[in-house]
Every structure is written in C-alpha cells, then in structure tokens.
Amino acid sequence: MTGKTAPPAKKPAPAAAKKKAAPAPKGEAAPKEAAAPKEAAAPKEEAAPAAEEPPAPEQPPAPTDEATPLPTEAGAEATPAPAEGSPAPPAEPPAPAPEPKPEKPKEEPPSCPLSLAVEEVSENSFTLTWKAPEQTGRAGLDGYVVEICKDGSSDWKAVNQEPFLSTRYTIPNLSSGDKIHVRVVAVSASGASVPAALEQPVLIREILQLPRIRMPRHLRETYIRHVGDAVNIMIPFQGKPQPEVSWTKEGQPLDTNRITIRNTARDTIFYIRQAQRGDSGKYELTVQINGAEDKATLDIQVVEPPGPPQNLKLVDVWGFNVALEWTPPVDNGNSEIKGYRVQKSDKKSGKWFTVLERCTRTSCTISDLIIGNTYSFRVFSENICGLSDSAAVASGVACIEKTKTTYQPEKIPQRDMMEPPKFTQPLTDRTTTRGYSTHLFCSVRGFPQPKIIWLKNQMEIREDPKYIALIDQGVCSLEIRKPGPFDGGVYTCKAVNPLGEASVDCKLDVKVPK
C-alpha cells in the first residue's frame, strides 16, 4: 500500500481530502480514532465534481506513519502531514498528468439565403425567388429546402423531399384563398442555415390583368413574303386569367387548311407552310378576358416577280438616236412596279447591254449609237422581287446609216491688207570694243513684205562675210563680226515694197582698248 501514488491532479477528490487533512499538524495530541471518520467522510465531498468526470477507484486509507503529497486547488503540492511516533519516509513523485487532445473545430453551417421574394401568384400556386447565401462553407451547399405553414398554424412542412440547387421554386397544389407562410433553408454537410422567411403570408388568389397584345415592331408595318416562302409569326400577349385568342381575315374566319394557329398562355403563333398570293390581306388578332379585349392588325403581302411590259414600239430613229415607248405589265406581281430596265443589242456582236436602269417612265430616248450598226431593243419590268422573268422585245430594228454631207466653207469678205513699210522699232546707237561681235536690231511691218537693205555711211552693204543680215517675223538684225576702228560709222536699214519705203539709222562707235 505504501508503493501506490496519488491520483492525478485533475481529479477533485484528493483536493477534498487535503482540505480535511490539513488541520492535522495544528494539534499533535489528536487521537487516531478521530482521524478515521474524517477520512471516511472524504468520499461525500468527492461526489460534487463527479458530474463532470467519473471518480477514480477508491484507495485504502494511508497509514498514519506516512503522508502522501497532494496537489492543492491551485495546482501546487501540499505539505505532507507528519505522523505521530515515527519519522516520515520520503514521498514518491506524482505521475505526470496526460495532456488533453485538442478538439477539432466544427464547420459552421451556411448563412441565411438572401432576397427571398414572391415572383408570381396564381389561383393555386405561387413562385418564389431568392439569392444564394454569402457563406456556404467548405463543403458547399447541398441545396435548399422550402417549407410552408398555413396562417394561424405552427405546423411547418417541407415542400420538396430532397434539397435542390435552383434559386427559383414554384409551390403547386394550393387552395385559392389560403394565406401561406413560407421560408427557405440552405442545407450543407455541416448543417442547416437560419431560415429566410417572408414577413407577410402569401394570399393564394389569381391576380387579374387586362389583356394586351405586344405586337413586335417589324410586324407593325406590311409583312412581305415571296410566293412559296413559309410564314411563321409569333405574337406575345399578356392577361390574367388566360385570355381567349381569336383570328379573322378581313372579318371572315381563317382557312384552317392553309393557316395553322397555335395558342399558349403567353403568345399565339401564325403559320403558313407555303405562302400564295391569295394569302395576302389584313388579319385581325383579338385577345379577350371577360368582356375586356385588345386587337391588333397583321398586314401580310405575298409577292412574286412581275410580268413583262406590253406593246414595246420603236417610235423614231434620227441621227444617232432612237425613241422607244411601252405600256405597264398586266401582272405587277402583287407589288408596285419600281421601274424598267432598257437594253440594246447590235447585230454584229449579238450581246445585250443595259442602257437604262429603273426608268420610271414608259418611254425613253437612247442616244450615242454607232453609225453603220443595226440595233434591237428590249425592256424588263422590276418590282420588290426583282426583274420580270421575260422581257418585251421591240418588233423593229434601228439602222444607224451614214448621212451624206457636203462641206461648204464660209465665205469671208476680202479685206485690203496692203500697207507701205513702217518701222515699229528703230535702230539705237551702240558702242562696242574692237574684236567683239555686235548686233543691230529693228522691226518693220508692211504688206506685201518689204525688202530690207542695209547701208553703211550711205553705201549699200552687199555680200560681205563680215556682215550677216537676217529678217524673221518683221524683226531685222545685222551682225558685225569682230569690228575694227574702220567699221564705225552710221548704219541705215531701209525697207522697200510697191507701196513705198522707210528707213532708220544709228551710229556705231568702235573703241580700241589701251
């Protein structure tokens, strides 16, 4: 018994024993019989902390000649009580207390769904929408559970058996007139969130809405299709309860063999597999609820290429020009004629060339034709579908022949151009240096062209290589080549014709360099 150690410090039972054994040193004469009841009473005090931790197995009472070290409430060792009549043996050290294992932190459940609202209410159902919670946890959401409860009751029932991930849900099979409380819970592996609930109950009743047709913009004008095309038109509308939809064509019921109508709660579909020109017209759509109605008109025009023009004639041919005339086609293809295309073809090449496009009149003039060619002409009509399949061809041809013309020069009255010589620019005095060639200039007019004679000191200059005389367009020039002192003097230019003569002179001075 002496070799056993004291129980671990975390158990409160030894602490209670320490409180009872602590007064022992105060009275040395305390009888041993009195100590036994105190030790026997110790288990009664140990019963208090037993709710938190199971008590340790009971130990036999320690002998009086030995004191076991016990921990105090603060965790310190108690001073051993000395036994009477015998020395206390050395106490054994207490066993180390085991360290408690740290508990794993539990994952928090997701937060509450956001923005819960009612999207639509009908006479036996309503639709909810909401947004995902801000916090979904590490594992993510498993889904949402929608719960409902009638007003005045506290019995909440889940609408869906399994969680779903959509943030929109329609609760069906409800009774008209009931008030329903609703809430949505986000569910994950770590638990369920705080429910998001509507503040007010939802009254299950049908909300009345006047009928209204929402005609698409492109259908507000004439809807044009070609012959053979499919017509597939969807026109949405609104109204509650579900409105009655009816179609008529110019006040008469539709031909169900050609036209198929399919209606839903929100739109109507108008369908023709292969449109014909007879399908053209104005269709009236009526949407009605309990006497209230809305109407819209659909104007359909089925078109095809027009027929060719009629009565094309070659009216006139003159010079390089041709005049054509024709009348509009009998069949315009159920569409307005936008114009006519006029083409020509010459006999040599046989190819057709476009002369005019979208001519808005029923007549035209073609110009700039080539002399010697023979031309044929044809005309196409054109509408929104394009050109007619065939053309109107003129019955005659245009031959552009050469015209014989004789040139007759214009008679101009004769004018007397005779004029005696007259100098318009006289000679001027000049000074030159010995050995440097020089020129003398003057200008003269007259008709017939006058004869020019050069004189030096009143002596006619004849064929002398020292002098070169020229005349060009009435400008007279005399070149004196390398003059010397003896070449100085007075030079005269004389002009002579049958009507008279004229002369001018100048002085030439030749200097000798020093």
Side-chain angles (χ1 to χ4, degrees):
M1 298 298 291
T2 57
K4 291 184 179 181
T5 58
K10 67 178 181 178
K11 294 182 180 180
K18 176 243 177 195
K19 292 181 180 180
K20 297 294 182 177
K26 294 181 180 178
E28 295 180 358
K32 295 180 182 180
E33 293 81 8
K38 291 182 181 180
E39 291 178 0
K44 293 181 180 181
E45 294 181 354
E46 291 176 0
E52 298 179 2
E53 215 172 307
E58 293 185 0
Q59 302 291 337
T64 55
D65 58 348
E66 182 179 311
T68 304
L70 297 175
T72 61
E73 290 182 354
E77 293 184 356
T79 305
E84 294 181 1
S86 64
E92 294 181 3
E99 295 183 0
K101 295 181 180 180
E103 296 183 0
K104 294 183 179 179
K106 294 183 179 180
E107 293 186 5
E108 295 184 358
S111 58
C112 177
L114 304 175
S115 304
L116 179 62
V118 177
E119 183 183 73
E120 186 179 4
V121 180
S122 68
E123 61 181 351
N124 55 9
S125 66
F126 67 94
T127 302
L128 296 172
T129 60
W130 62 90
K131 294 182 180 179
E134 294 181 354
Q135 299 179 359
T136 58
R138 296 180 181 177
L141 287 180
D142 292 342
Y144 303 94
V145 175
V146 180
E147 299 177 343
I148 60 174
C149 173
K150 289 187 176 181
D151 190 27
S153 173
S154 60
D155 185 13
W156 288 92
K157 295 181 180 179
V159 180
N160 54 311
Q161 299 298 328
E162 297 293 335
F164 60 91
L165 291 174
S166 174
T167 57
R168 185 177 183 273
Y169 189 78
T170 299
I171 303 175
N173 304 326
L174 300 175
S175 300
S176 179
D178 286 349
K179 292 183 178 180
I180 303 296
H181 293 271
V182 62
R183 66 187 184 185
V184 179
V185 179
V187 180
S188 70
S190 57
S193 69
V194 176
L198 295 174
E199 295 182 359
Q200 299 294 332
V202 180
L203 177 60
I204 307 303
R205 65 181 180 87
E206 188 168 15
I207 301 176
L208 295 179
Q209 186 179 23
L210 292 176
R212 182 183 177 187
I213 299 173
R214 301 172 61 187
M215 181 68 76
R217 185 181 299 274
H218 70 281
L219 297 179
R220 297 176 189 175
E221 301 177 355
T222 302
Y223 184 70
I224 300 176
R225 304 296 292 172
H226 295 178
V227 172
D229 290 351
V231 179
N232 191 4
I233 298 172
M234 183 184 72
I235 302 177
F237 57 81
Q238 59 189 23
K240 287 186 178 181
Q242 182 174 348
E244 298 179 1
V245 181
S246 62
W247 284 88
T248 58
K249 179 183 180 182
E250 298 174 356
Q252 300 298 323
L254 300 183
D255 182 4
T256 56
N257 294 327
R258 293 199 46 79
I259 303 173
T260 302
I261 302 296
R262 185 176 65 84
N263 300 322
T264 66
R266 296 185 179 183
D267 55 50
T268 178
I269 295 177
F270 182 98
Y271 178 72
I272 302 176
R273 183 179 296 276
Q274 290 183 340
Q276 301 297 328
R277 288 176 59 171
D279 298 324
S280 301
K282 293 185 177 181
Y283 296 81
E284 189 175 67
L285 169 64
T286 303
V287 178
Q288 186 175 11
I289 302 176
N290 298 331
E293 64 179 20
D294 190 18
K295 294 184 177 181
T297 301
L298 174 63
D299 188 5
I300 297 179
Q301 183 178 3
V302 183
V303 299
E304 61 182 343
Q310 301 293 310
N311 306 321
L312 177 60
K313 296 179 181 179
L314 190 61
V315 179
D316 194 8
V317 179
W318 74 98
F320 312 115
N321 309 303
V322 170
L324 300 174
E325 285 184 356
W326 61 89
T327 58
V330 176
D331 182 11
N332 63 357
N334 200 28
S335 177
E336 180 184 359
I337 298 296
K338 290 188 174 183
Y340 301 91
R341 180 176 294 182
V342 182
Q343 294 183 340
K344 67 178 181 179
S345 172
D346 62 275
K347 188 176 181 180
K348 292 181 179 179
S349 66
K351 296 181 179 179
W352 290 97
F353 299 93
T354 299
V355 180
L356 296 173
E357 286 199 32
R358 289 201 176 181
C359 176
T360 56
R361 302 184 304 273
T362 56
S363 63
C364 69
T365 299
I366 302 174
S367 303
D368 300 330
L369 300 177
I370 299 174
I371 295 176
N373 283 1
T374 301
Y375 291 93
S376 299
F377 300 93
R378 68 182 184 183
V379 179
F380 292 88
S381 54
E382 184 178 3
N383 67 359
I384 192 172
C385 290
L387 298 176
S388 57
D389 296 332
S390 60
V393 182
S395 56
V397 293
C399 298
I400 309 302
E401 299 178 353
K402 295 181 180 179
T403 57
K404 297 180 180 180
T405 57
T406 303
Y407 176 71
Q408 295 180 353
E410 184 180 358
K411 294 182 179 180
I412 301 174
Q414 295 293 330
R415 182 180 178 184
D416 187 9
M417 303 295 292
M418 306 299 285
E419 182 182 5
K422 180 181 178 181
F423 283 93
T424 58
Q425 182 67 35
L427 293 171
T428 58
D429 296 340
R430 296 185 64 84
T431 301
T432 185
T433 305
R434 175 184 175 182
Y436 289 90
S437 298
T438 187
H439 292 76
L440 302 178
F441 294 96
C442 63
S443 59
V444 65
R445 73 181 183 185
F447 188 81
Q449 184 176 350
K451 180 182 178 182
I452 304 301
I453 300 173
W454 286 94
L455 305 172
K456 175 188 175 186
N457 296 328
Q458 302 303 319
M459 296 296 291
E460 183 178 352
I461 300 174
R462 296 187 180 275
E463 297 180 359
D464 188 343
K466 192 174 187 68
Y467 302 98
I468 299 176
L470 299 173
I471 182 171
D472 182 19
Q473 300 292 328
V475 177
C476 305
S477 64
L478 179 65
E479 180 182 0
I480 305 170
R481 305 176 64 186
K482 297 181 180 181
F486 56 89
D487 292 322
V490 177
Y491 287 83
T492 302
C493 180
K494 183 187 289 187
V496 181
N497 73 357
L499 298 180
E501 63 178 35
S503 62
V504 289
D505 52 26
C506 69
K507 185 179 180 181
L508 176 64
D509 187 12
V510 180
K511 293 184 178 181
V512 179
K514 295 181 181 180

